[in-house]
Amino acid sequence: MRHVIALDVGGTGMKAALVGDDGALLHRARRATGRERGPDAVITAILDFAAELLAYGVRHYGEPAAAAGIAVPGIVDEQHGVAAYAANLGWRDVPLRALLTERLGVPVALGHDVRTGGLAEGRIGAGRGADRFLFVPLGTGIAGAIGIDGRVEAGAHGFAGEIGHIVVRPGGTPCPCGQHGCLERYASASAVSEAWAAACGDPEADAADCAKAVASGDPNAVRVWRQAVDALADGLVTALTLLDPGTLIIGGGLAEAGEVLFQPLRDAVRRRVTFQKPPAVVPAALGDTAGCLGAGLLAQDLLTTTPTTPEVST
């Protein structure tokens, strides 16, 4: 049975699957990244995990994977297959595609985690059928994936979609990127958690607790939530003015609040648009499987353009 390896690398864990030609997840597995042992240990863990998946395919499906796709965080040079920088993994200029190609002996695609998740949401998830979409996961930070005709735009330098660093509150809260007032300092799950913990006096309180308090009508929670939604709407309207997507797909931990988030967000976006055509604002459909599924799509795309026996780049 022809299949591909799909691997989604996070800060502390890796999710993987063997994916059939029909998109079915034939086998799933998880491993720790081992980042506490340093960046070289993470690279070794990835290579060993991929080799295990290759061997599993041979044992259970009678042949090795035809290709592999891997999604990683940070700054990614997809064209050259290099993981340029990832603060949480300690990486700089890791030639990950070449290392995996040499280890596995099959074509390998490397992608940015959010753009790869966006690829899956656009093709087989909430954006299916939309020729233009913007995927925005609201997690520890905020990033974005710009979907155009079934692909995701990386940009000239691999930075396309960094909506979290649109300045929505000039002169506001400092951001680690060096700017002040970035969107992710106000509307990410971590920002809401921080604001709600301060407002309610419980240092352990998080964004999910805030959402529950909003649903119960707590005025302090409503205030914190409204500030986050207003900042998010400001950033999204800036993005839709530039990109004119037909669909805005909102994912990540904050989106788990459901209509507690989506109803006021749709209203806030609608109030801000003037000449722009309001997009559909929908929740992501694939959850934490999006990165893995997207990595599988990257691998399958290789099979239409790449020989099955690649040259190993150095």
Side-chain angles (χ1 to χ4, degrees):
M1 180 183 296
R2 194 170 85 156
H3 60 279
V4 297
I5 294 169
L7 183 56
D8 180 19
V9 178
T12 59
M14 299 182 283
K15 298 186 288 289
L18 298 182
V19 184
D21 275 350
D22 60 355
L25 298 178
L26 306 174
H27 169 66
R28 302 190 202 190
R30 291 177 180 255
R31 294 285 186 281
T33 60
R35 69 173 182 175
E36 68 279 2
R37 299 192 301 274
D40 289 342
V42 176
I43 295 167
T44 298
I46 290 170
L47 296 177
D48 289 347
F49 192 19
E52 288 177 26
L53 294 162
L54 189 78
Y56 184 97
V58 172
R59 289 196 307 271
H60 291 268
Y61 306 114
E63 60 181 285
I70 177 170
V72 298
I75 299 170
V76 182
D77 182 345
E78 296 172 2
Q79 182 179 357
H80 296 99
V82 174
Y85 176 70
N88 59 353
L89 295 174
W91 281 351
R92 283 191 181 274
D93 298 324
V94 178
L96 202 52
R97 185 175 66 197
L99 293 172
L100 279 165
T101 300
E102 183 174 15
R103 182 69 176 268
L104 301 177
V106 301
V108 176
L110 177 68
H112 180 271
D113 56 353
V114 172
R115 288 196 292 269
T116 302
L119 179 69
E121 284 288 353
R123 286 197 196 172
I124 60 177
R128 188 170 187 170
D131 60 353
R132 298 288 190 280
F133 69 87
L134 179 64
F135 169 56
V136 181
L138 308 173
T140 303
I142 299 177
I146 303 166
I148 304 171
D149 293 333
R151 65 179 181 84
V152 172
E153 174 60 41
H157 307 97
F159 299 155
E162 289 292 347
I163 185 176
H165 297 290
I166 289 177
V167 174
V168 294
R169 300 292 180 265
T173 304
C175 180
C177 79
Q179 300 185 118
H180 289 73
C182 288
L183 174 61
E184 71 174 38
R185 300 301 298 135
Y186 297 90
S188 63
S190 57
V192 174
S193 294
E194 183 179 338
W196 176 235
C200 72
D202 179 1
E204 301 300 318
D206 61 13
D209 298 322
C210 185
K212 292 175 185 175
V214 170
S216 68
D218 184 300
N220 277 335
V222 170
R223 174 182 55 80
V224 168
W225 199 257
R226 183 182 300 118
Q227 289 172 347
V229 168
D230 283 346
L232 180 57
D234 287 341
L236 290 175
V237 170
T238 297
L240 72 89
T241 302
L242 292 170
L243 302 172
D244 189 28
T247 305
L248 287 175
I249 305 169
I250 309 298
L254 212 60
E256 293 176 6
E259 287 305 302
V260 172
L261 173 67
F262 284 94
Q263 180 177 342
L265 179 60
R266 292 184 184 111
D267 291 342
V269 169
R270 194 176 300 113
R271 288 195 303 270
R272 284 161 172 77
V273 298
T274 54
F275 66 90
Q276 308 95 330
K277 185 172 178 60
V281 181
V282 301
L286 302 177
D288 69 354
T289 66
C292 199
L293 290 167
L297 292 172
L298 289 178
Q300 290 171 336
D301 286 351
L302 284 178
L303 299 179
T304 65
T305 59
T306 306
T308 55
T309 304
E311 294 181 4
V312 176
S313 57
T314 58

